[in-house]
Amino acid sequence: MNPQVADSAFVRACRREPVPHTPVWYMRQAGRSLPEYRRVREGVEMLTACATPDLVVEITMQPVRRYGVDAAIFFSDIVVPLKAIGVDLDIKPGVGPVVGAPIRDRAGAAVLRPLEPGDVPYVTESVEALVKELGGVPLIGFAGGPFTLASYLIEGGPSKNHDRTKAMMYGEPELWHELMERLGAITLAFLRVQVAAGASAVQLFDSWVGAVAPHDYRRYVLPHTRRIFEGLAGLGVPRIHFGVGTGELLGLMGEAGADVVGVDWRVPLDEAALRVGAGKALQGNLDPSILLAPWEVVEERARDVLERGRVAEGHVFNLGHGVLPSTDPDQLTRLTELVHEVSAR
């Protein structure tokens, strides 16, 4: 890792070391609410954009230039590795990932072959170009967690209740574990490609795993997530773990092996620190909707997050989920400045 990056506020906070100020970045900062993003994406489908290095570099850099955040997040999508190994899927605007042939049996699971670096040359090329462009700013690589990927593949698209997913998990545990093993291996390979190309941290987004009760998480999800984090352990980069609605799972998510546990907006950070336990940094956790309120409200809530975050051994300021498309980018610029100013040591 570039010494400047290793000494950055973001990497230091992830490692629970002293920082000059609380570092800040935003989930989904690359895109959606930025007019410059909408311009470059016009007429380009999401998965095409993710496979076009020039576009990936430009979109990843936009929020770094505009907001002055402490880290960039690689512009991609959690279904990119699935598409790369030949899964018939597409991202439909306004819907999300839609799978042509949902996986409901062993034959379906068998089509998920291992991911090779040669399947995603555009990822390697994009990350290498970004690392050059970013200089001392860390680049976060990411992938989707196995439960979330399994849900899309089994349901055939986004789901409110994950009914079919849970039906397989409870009713066909052998098939479930086989599917999760394959997805875990694909996810680990995808993250390793990004780190090999120069990513200085990784985040595992198990976005929908909050649908699972703690005892079921321990039995059906934790072993697979743990294997991913163990497979990254020797690479020397901070590992972040995040899910939505995971207040009841925070301790277990810490057990899975990440260095940093992401917290959504439902659990205050001082409470989250108790649930996660010692030896972990926290990331979060301003409600993204607060950015739609007047600035005075944003400021008051952001100060509260920073104050509660002081309890944690390390704190990376973020939202409790992704930037909403209707967010005024100026709010994020002001918020970044506020976090840096208020937290300056």
Side-chain angles (χ1 to χ4, degrees):
M1 194 186 295
N2 162 344
Q4 228 183 324
V5 169
D7 198 40
S8 65
F10 169 75
V11 170
R12 290 182 68 90
C14 291
R15 292 190 166 143
R16 313 191 318 279
E17 294 169 359
V19 288
H21 59 261
T22 300
V24 54
W25 70 278
Y26 306 110
M27 289 184 272
R28 298 211 186 107
Q29 65 187 18
R32 303 225 296 181
S33 68
L34 290 177
E36 55 267 42
Y37 167 76
R38 290 197 284 268
R39 274 198 299 277
V40 298
R41 269 289 314 279
E42 209 172 327
V44 184
E45 288 184 350
M46 180 64 180
L47 288 170
T48 305
C50 293
T52 310
D54 291 356
L55 263 183
V56 172
V57 172
E58 171 56 25
I59 293 168
T60 304
M61 290 302 300
Q62 285 174 351
V64 179
R65 294 186 204 119
R66 191 191 262 260
Y67 305 138
V69 283
D70 294 280
I73 178 130
F74 185 58
F75 175 74
S76 187
D77 191 274
I78 64 168
V79 299
V80 164
L82 299 179
K83 182 79 173 173
I85 60 162
V87 175
D88 174 18
L89 61 79
D90 202 9
I91 297 176
K92 300 252 165 87
V95 180
V98 177
V99 178
I103 292 177
R104 306 273 162 82
D105 53 27
R106 190 152 261 122
V111 305
L112 298 175
R113 67 168 176 81
L115 178 84
E116 305 291 338
D119 295 321
V120 285
Y122 44 87
V123 170
T124 300
E125 190 183 326
S126 303
V127 172
E128 286 174 348
L130 273 164
V131 170
K132 279 198 192 100
E133 182 111 0
L134 284 161
V137 178
L139 176 67
I140 305 165
F142 80 92
F147 178 87
T148 298
L149 294 178
S151 175
Y152 283 125
L153 289 170
I154 296 165
E155 306 287 344
S159 164
K160 213 173 184 175
N161 301 313
H162 312 279
D163 317 2
R164 289 176 182 272
T165 308
K166 288 182 171 184
M168 184 190 290
M169 187 173 85
Y170 296 134
E172 299 180 83
E174 274 182 33
L175 174 57
W176 171 260
H177 284 296
E178 184 189 330
L179 179 61
M180 290 288 277
E181 259 170 47
R182 287 173 185 261
L183 290 171
I186 290 164
T187 295
L188 174 57
F190 190 57
L191 290 169
R192 291 184 74 102
V193 165
Q194 294 171 67
V195 175
S200 35
V202 290
Q203 176 156 315
L204 186 70
F205 282 88
D206 214 345
S207 308
W208 311 136
V209 80
V212 177
H215 58 281
D216 291 324
Y217 180 91
R218 185 177 287 287
R219 184 171 172 186
Y220 297 111
V221 182
L222 182 61
H224 306 287
T225 308
R226 186 179 272 142
R227 210 167 292 134
I228 293 168
F229 286 124
E230 281 172 356
L232 298 165
L235 302 183
V237 299
R239 300 156 296 169
I240 309 169
H241 193 11
F242 173 75
V244 186
T246 49
E248 297 301 321
L249 304 177
L250 288 172
L252 288 163
M253 287 170 75
E255 266 182 57
D259 305 293
V260 185
V261 177
V263 184
D264 79 1
W265 66 92
R266 295 169 176 88
V267 180
L269 286 181
D270 46 357
E271 169 63 26
L274 296 174
R275 294 188 191 187
V276 171
K280 307 282 174 191
L282 298 184
Q283 178 174 283
N285 73 339
L286 188 72
D287 185 338
S289 303
I290 284 172
L291 291 164
L292 309 179
W295 171 251
E296 305 72 66
V297 181
V298 177
E299 179 173 355
E300 182 195 335
R301 292 299 193 92
R303 285 176 181 271
D304 183 59
V305 168
L306 285 167
E307 189 53 42
R308 292 175 188 275
R310 290 164 72 98
V311 174
E313 294 176 38
H315 178 212
V316 176
F317 188 97
N318 206 313
L319 305 179
H321 198 197
V323 174
L324 297 168
S326 53
T327 307
D328 174 359
D330 291 344
Q331 291 277 63
L332 287 167
T333 304
R334 286 182 82 174
L335 178 57
T336 308
E337 288 166 0
L338 177 81
V339 171
H340 286 163
E341 195 182 301
V342 170
S343 67
R345 311 286 194 263

